[in-house]
Structure formats: C-alpha cells, structure tokens
Amino acid sequence: MTSPASGANSAADLPDYAPIPRSALGPALNDQGYYVGRVERNLYWVTDGVYQSAFLTTRDGVVLFDAPPSIGHNLRRAVDEIAAANGVSNRVTHLVYSHHHADHAGAASLFDGDVVRVGHEDTRRLLLRDDDPGRPAPEVTFADRYTLEVGGERAELAWHGPNHSPDNIFIHLPGHDTLMLIDVVNAGWVPIYNTNLSEDVPGYMQAPATALSYPWTHFICGHLGRLATRDDVVVHQAYIADIEASASEALAAVDPVPFYMHYGENVWAGVKAHLNTVTERAAAPIVAKYTGVLASADIEDFTWTTTFAIMQSLRLDRGLGVSRPVHP
C-alpha cells in the first residue's frame, strides 16, 4: 500500500480517485455554509457537508443534539432561521452530547447561561479529564438509559456499551421516527481510518445491528452531507462483514514463519512484514468490490487501516491467527 500523500509537493502530485457516487452527496449549502432541513415534524438537522447536528423545537425551548465546531455559530443561525419561520422560541434550553469528542462537541460553550447539558456518565468523566472550556461537562448524566422530556417531546438516550468511544450513545426520537448514532455509519461513504477512529472495534462492529433493532426511518450519523437510511446501515454492515471475512481468510492463508525467519532478531520487522502482508491481501478485494458503491472506497488508506484494525481485533479479541502455542 502507498500513502496518497507520499512525495506530494503540490496539487499536481496528488492522486486522482473514483468519482463520488451522486447518492453519497447531500443538499447544497446556503451562502453561509450550512444546510438546515426538517427531519420530521419539529425535528431538524444541520450540516456543513462534513459534520451534522440536530435540534428539536418545543413549546418550552430548543433541544440541541451535539455542537460540532466546524458548524459553530451556524448552529445558532439555523435555530434562529427555523424558529422565526415557525413562530417558536429560539432559546436553547438543553444540549445533549452524543459523546465527548471535540469534533462533535467543541462548540458547546456557545450555548451557555441556563442551558441544561445532558450526557452519559463517562462523557462527564472524560470532559472533566480533558478540561476543555469549549466542552463544559454535562450536569445531567446517566449510566444505561435516560428519557429526556422537554415541552411535550421525548428523546430516549441509551448506552449499549463502548463502540466508537467509551461513552457514545444511541439517541432515539420515537415521536420523530429517528435515530441518532454518531461516528459509526457514514451515509454512502466508507469509514475513515481505523473504523472511524473507533476505540472499541468489537463494539463498533456490533453497533449497526443494535441501531437496526430500533424502529426508525431517519438516521442522523454525524458526518457528511445527508441523512442515512436503513439501507445505508445494511450496506455498511456488508462492507464490514466482507472485511471481517477477508481478514479471517488472510490470517489463515498467510504463513508468518518466513517473515520472522528472514528478519531474525529484528522481531518488529517480522511483525510489520507479516501483518502488512495479511492486511494487503485482505483489503485488496474490498477496495475493488466497493469502489463506486461507497464513496472513497478507493482511498486505500481508509479501507486498509479499517481492515488492519478489524484484523487485529480478530487476533487479539477473538484469538484468530495467533500462531504461537501457549508456553508450557
């Protein structure tokens, strides 16, 4: 595998990639660089084409779900735009954190005053640890489940174990036929590096099945320019399942001995050669199969590193392909 940026000194040196499938793209942004649209009834979503947030207007104020800094002050503009159009309050009364990461919560401090912040108990722990003034820790926390009721509307918050992060939660809005789960599925696109930079690979791989166990039509996935559908989640599952199967086959097929014999006492060189060979063998058919199906599947670094992460999880979490016997 070669890195796309290797040796690139100018734009002319950068590689070309397959065209993005039109189905992966969302609506056009306005002149201020955002799009706000209705999900269902009084639930709205906001995107800058890369990140997503959502908000719920109620008779008692606005509930905001995540505050990505790349959208930043456009969140306020989006809320004001919808509130003015519908003659409702634009006062943000609650802010729900999907998880603690700064790229989804870094603009939380823009909404201060008497805003009630809600999140998983680990979100509070991690935000207190990180001590970022842009991400005030939530005052209202929960361990497994929490029902947030504001102005006659309801959001069901649930933690089903670690996945992308230790604290990433499922946000179900049953009255709006919507599920919000961030940084697991990218609608129409492959995950970026290492299963979307996820900390718990088995949890990440399980999360889409958990998402599909909920009743919903609309899916807010946190990234890129459109909402996801149930079909998007199924295609994502197929991509991950194909990687898992390909990595399992490669672990069984690639003999590690020649690599370690070649490098002798340089054990780490043997490890690199062995595991890179396994990963390259496993990733190649996935890149070929999904190019043109999922956007950026042909950016080899993405599929390669996600394959590497899943292959390592197969080895370390499930014990596959670990050739050394237990020492007597």
Side-chain angles (χ1 to χ4, degrees), residues 297-319:
D298 62 323
I299 299 181
E300 292 184 355
D301 283 26
F302 291 167
T303 295
W304 198 96
T305 58
T306 288
T307 301
F308 182 85
I310 290 174
M311 179 269 292
Q312 289 289 53
S313 179
L314 292 174
R315 294 179 64 248
L316 303 178
D317 296 317
R318 301 190 199 174

Side-chain angles (χ1 to χ4, degrees), residues 273-298:
H274 170 218
L275 297 184
N276 280 8
T277 299
V278 171
T279 304
E280 287 166 3
R281 175 170 176 147
I286 309 303
V287 171
K289 180 175 180 178
Y290 285 91
T291 296
V293 177
L294 289 173
S296 294
D298 62 323

Side-chain angles (χ1 to χ4, degrees), residues 118 140 142 145-150 153-158 174:
V118 182
V140 177
F142 64 97
R145 294 182 182 274
Y146 181 79
T147 300
L148 177 64
E149 296 186 87
V150 180
E153 303 291 352
R154 176 165 58 97
E156 299 286 353
L157 315 181

Side-chain angles (χ1 to χ4, degrees), residues 194-269:
N194 300 307
T195 60
N196 270 347
L197 305 175
S198 294
E199 298 178 50
D200 189 297
V201 174
Y204 173 88
M205 294 170 71
Q206 172 59 36
T210 303
L212 289 173
S213 73
Y214 282 85
W216 55 268
T217 299
H218 317 290
F219 188 95
I220 301 168
C221 57
H223 277 289
L224 303 162
R226 69 169 174 85
L227 298 177
T229 66
R230 298 186 79 89
D231 285 345
D232 287 318
V233 179
V234 170
V235 172
H236 169 89
Q237 284 182 303
Y239 172 80
I240 295 297
D242 283 346
I243 291 176
E244 181 181 9
S246 191
S248 296
E249 183 277 332
L251 279 169
V254 175
D255 180 6
V257 173
F259 303 103
Y260 296 99
M261 289 184 65
H262 176 81
Y263 284 108
E265 63 185 12
N266 191 347
V267 177
W268 277 173

Side-chain angles (χ1 to χ4, degrees), residues 29 43 104 132 280 317-318:
L29 307 181
L43 176 66
H104 290 276
D132 177 2
E280 287 166 3
D317 296 317
R318 301 190 199 174

